[in-house]
Every structure is written in C-alpha cells, then in structure tokens.
Amino acid sequence: MARHEQVEAAETALGEPAARTSALRLTLASPLYRGATVSVFLSAAGFSAAAPQIASFLVNDLGASLSAAGLFYLTNLTAPVAGYLVGRRSDRTGRRLGLFRICAVLGFAGWLGIAYSTHLWMPYLISAVIGAFGGAATSQLFAAVHDEQQARPNPNNDGVVAVVRMALTGGWVVGPVAGSVLAAHTSLHTMLLATAVCTLAQILPLGALRTPPAVTPAHQTTGSGTRGPSLRDMRPLLTFTALYVLVYAGEPIKYAYLPIYMNSRLHFPAELSGAIIGIQPLVEIILMPLSVVVARRIGMMQLMVIGAGFGVAANICFATTGTAVGLFAGQVLMGGVWGVFAALGIIVAQHLLPGAVATASAIFLSSTALASALGGAAGGLGAATVGLPQVFLIPAALGLLAVIGLTVMTRSASTKP
C-alpha cells in the first residue's frame, strides 16, 4: 500500500476527514510524521545529555584547562557550513531520508570518536569535521515533513510541525537530567557512549521508510539541470536567520551566568534555583501549540516580533529585579520566546526559501550553533566588563535589534503586491 493510502486509511479509521483531523492525529496517522517525532526526541535527548558534560570530560579525562575546554564550543562554527552543503545536496536529489540516515551515522561515529579520544586535539577535530555533518540529520527530517505536507495539504499541517518540534524540545528537557544522572553513576565516557547510541537510534523509528524524491520547482531548473538557490534568493532567509541568531544568543549567556548569579549573589537554595531554571521548558511546551493557533490569526512574522519582545523583557528582568519573583517572570517570558520561535521558526524559514526547503531547514537549524558561539563570546566579555547581573543587558540589546529587524521584515512583506 502506498504511503498516502496508509494515511488515508488511518484517517478513515479515525472517523474524520483529512481537513478536520487534528495535528496530533495527523502525526500519529502518518508513518513519516510519527517516526520523525520519535527520531528528533532521541537525537535531542542524546545531544543535550552530552552538551553540559563535554567540558567536564575534556578537563577531567583529557587534562584540558578551563579556557581550552571553553574553546570546544567554537567547533560549532562549522555546523552552518556542513548544514548548507547537506541541504544543497538534498535539494538537488530530493532524497531526504537517505541523507538523514548518512548524517545520523556520521553523528554516531563522531560521538563514538570523542568518547574514545586519547589526546586533547581529537575531540576538537572530530566535532568540527564529523560532528558538524551529524548535526544536519534533523534538518533533513523537517525537509521530508515539508515535502509530505506539500503533497498532502491540510489546514493543520503547521500543527504537525509544532508537534515534531515539541518532541525536539522534550528531548532537551529530558537529556540534561538523564546525562547528569548517568555520568554521576557511571562515568563521562559511558555518558558519551549513550549519546552516540541515541544519535544512531534516531534511524530506527523511520525503519526502511522511503519517500518519493521532492519535486524540483520550475525556477530551480536550467538547461543543464538543477542548480542551488542564488544569494539573492537566499537573502530573506539569511536575514531572518541572522535575526534569529540575535534572539538565541541570549540562551548561552543565561545558562552560563543565571545559575552563578542565583547561587553566589542572591544565595538562593538549590531547589529554588532549579525551579527557576526548569520553568522555561515547561512554559515553552505548553505555548508551542497555542503559538500555531495565534499565528493563524495575526500572522507568523507578527507573532515573532512579539516573541522577540518577550526576550528583551525577560533579560531586563534578569538584569534589574534581583528577586525570585522577577527571575521567575523572566523565565516565563523566555518560555514565551521559545514557544513562538521553536514552533514557527522552521516553518518561516522554509517559506522564505520554498524552492530549497532542505537548504532552508539546514541553515536555520544549524544557526543555533553560531548563536551559541556568539552568545558565549559576548557573555564572557560582558561578564568581565560589566559583571553580574548587568551582563543580561547585552542579550536584551541584541533582542531589541531583532525586534526592529523582524518588524522591518514584516512591513516589507506586507507591502509587496
């Protein structure tokens, strides 16, 4: 039975026509949507388990200095390049899931190599070269989901993307806790091996599923065959991605310095500090499906302007309140930021480059690595210059630039014929 026939049969069994099927039921009915949801959860859980522990591994197991361990995160700068190369290849061939599996295997090999590294230079080289391509696996899944939605339009397709994206966020909620527990009860080496296993296991939910090659739009073909998007074609996407980087750059600053601020300056008990940190992902998951509903009423870009504004307000709370209530408010506002951007960002990116959705997905998703490097550098310099809590005014200023830029993009789009 063909894949679209399987979905139709599932919809019939559910007793409602496709146009009225909820996003959750659409996700459960489709082998692709269902498999992608589980896959991104496994990938995110594995990566987020290792992310907070990798510096400790470099210091404790390989003898790196604290400054050398901090430089490891600069290896993320190769991720956008690798993502672009994989995305361009995907858009030329249209075979998303094949590249997804290759990238997942490369990611597995990368984490395995890091776990068994015997010299300090090895994790840096492995992460910059192999790991960069491993990170492109998720973008191929979102491109495959987009292709399926183009072939089978449904009013709730945006909701399906939100469900898949919620699974990605869920992985980031579970991963750090699982990683810290596993490292504490076994070793950092074992924890990295578990990350490698999760990275490879993301292949399993999709099994041997194959999707038809994506249809290449007419404007992407020439007499000599398909070509990649030009710089002019990509300009809106690159602009949007750059603004997203400004919004995201506050995350590494917050995770690096908010716990220090709460513990060393405000002297909060560990339970209170943990509750403040943990409230954001909870709010984010709750707001993601709501963001899709609101975006249908006011527009995606308009809602993202509001979301970026939440980020500005959140960082002002961190910088000025100095109370548990103020920090809770800031974290709730940050949950609003990512409830919007996590649910809608990938959709907007694909809409801005409709002729090359794999390239758009890869560039947008890999930009978080660039934002982490930018935020880490800005936060380090800011903490040394202005100290705590004034360092949070830096991401507030970056977020304000994003609000202005997104407003300009929104108005430009609304004035086009």
Side-chain angles (χ1 to χ4, degrees):
M1 180 182 294
R3 183 161 46 91
H4 69 276
E5 293 173 343
Q6 291 177 337
V7 176
E8 287 176 352
E11 289 170 349
T12 301
L14 291 171
E16 49 187 302
R20 297 182 181 179
T21 306
S22 69
L24 181 58
R25 291 194 174 194
L26 279 173
T27 304
L28 295 175
S30 166
L32 174 62
Y33 299 161
R34 187 173 62 246
T37 301
V38 179
S39 291
V40 299
F41 175 82
L42 291 172
S43 174
F47 182 82
S48 63
Q53 306 290 335
I54 189 67
S56 298
F57 173 75
L58 296 174
V59 172
N60 298 333
D61 289 40
L62 298 180
S65 65
L66 291 176
S67 57
L71 291 175
F72 177 82
Y73 296 99
L74 294 180
T75 62
N76 290 333
L77 294 176
T78 59
V81 177
Y84 171 76
L85 294 175
V86 172
R88 184 172 181 178
R89 175 66 179 174
S90 177
D91 287 322
R92 284 184 173 183
T93 64
R95 299 192 178 278
R96 319 297 194 190
L97 295 186
L99 284 168
F100 157 72
R101 294 181 177 101
I102 292 173
C103 289
V105 170
L106 288 174
F108 165 74
W111 285 113
L112 196 66
I114 291 174
Y116 283 102
S117 293
T118 55
H119 296 85
L120 184 58
W121 59 267
M122 294 174 66
Y124 294 82
L125 181 62
I126 292 170
S127 177
V129 179
I130 301 176
F133 286 94
T138 299
S139 66
Q140 296 308 299
L141 286 182
F142 279 104
V145 168
H146 176 274
D147 294 342
E148 176 75 359
Q149 293 180 339
Q150 290 293 102
R152 297 184 57 77
N154 188 286
N156 282 324
N157 274 345
D158 289 349
V160 171
V161 176
V163 170
V164 179
R165 193 59 179 80
M166 286 172 66
L168 189 66
T169 300
W172 275 89
V173 173
V174 172
V177 177
S180 62
V181 171
L182 183 61
H185 287 81
T186 56
S187 66
L188 292 168
H189 169 78
T190 301
M191 183 274 302
L192 291 173
L193 289 178
T195 293
V197 171
C198 285
T199 303
L200 185 63
Q202 66 180 306
I203 296 176
L204 298 179
L206 290 161
L209 182 67
R210 296 181 180 273
T211 57
V215 178
T216 303
H219 70 275
Q220 289 290 103
T221 60
T222 65
S224 59
T226 60
R227 60 175 176 83
S230 67
L231 183 60
R232 182 176 180 180
D233 295 332
M234 294 174 62
R235 191 175 301 157
L237 170 67
L238 295 176
T239 301
F240 173 70
T241 302
L243 296 172
Y244 174 75
V245 166
L246 294 179
V247 175
Y248 195 93
E251 286 293 279
I253 297 176
K254 182 192 69 179
Y255 281 115
Y257 297 108
L258 188 59
I260 296 174
Y261 176 52
M262 291 189 293
N263 297 330
S264 64
R265 298 291 181 88
L266 301 179
H267 304 292
F268 287 171
E271 295 80 6
L272 179 58
S273 298
I276 291 173
I277 293 296
I279 192 67
Q280 176 187 321
L282 177 62
V283 173
E284 178 182 338
I285 290 179
I286 293 172
L287 291 183
M288 286 176 71
L290 181 61
S291 296
V292 175
V293 176
V294 175
R296 289 172 184 162
R297 294 180 177 274
I298 70 172
M300 291 188 188
M301 292 298 295
Q302 288 84 346
L303 185 56
M304 287 194 166
V305 172
I306 297 173
F310 285 163
V312 176
N315 282 292
I316 291 176
C317 286
F318 298 150
T320 61
T321 58
T323 65
V325 173
L327 299 188
F328 264 116
Q331 281 289 79
V332 170
L333 287 167
M334 289 303 296
V337 175
W338 300 115
V340 172
F341 279 87
L344 304 177
I346 188 68
I347 301 173
V348 172
Q350 291 175 342
H351 286 178
L352 291 174
L353 195 66
V357 294
T359 301
S361 302
I363 290 175
F364 178 77
L365 292 177
S366 61
S367 66
T368 57
L370 180 61
S372 295
L374 171 64
L381 293 174
T385 304
V386 300
L388 295 175
Q390 289 76 18
V391 68
F392 296 110
L393 294 176
I394 295 175
L398 295 176
L400 183 58
L401 291 176
V403 170
I404 296 171
L406 289 168
T407 301
V408 172
M409 284 193 71
T410 301
R411 292 181 177 177
S412 298
S414 64
T415 57
K416 288 182 180 180

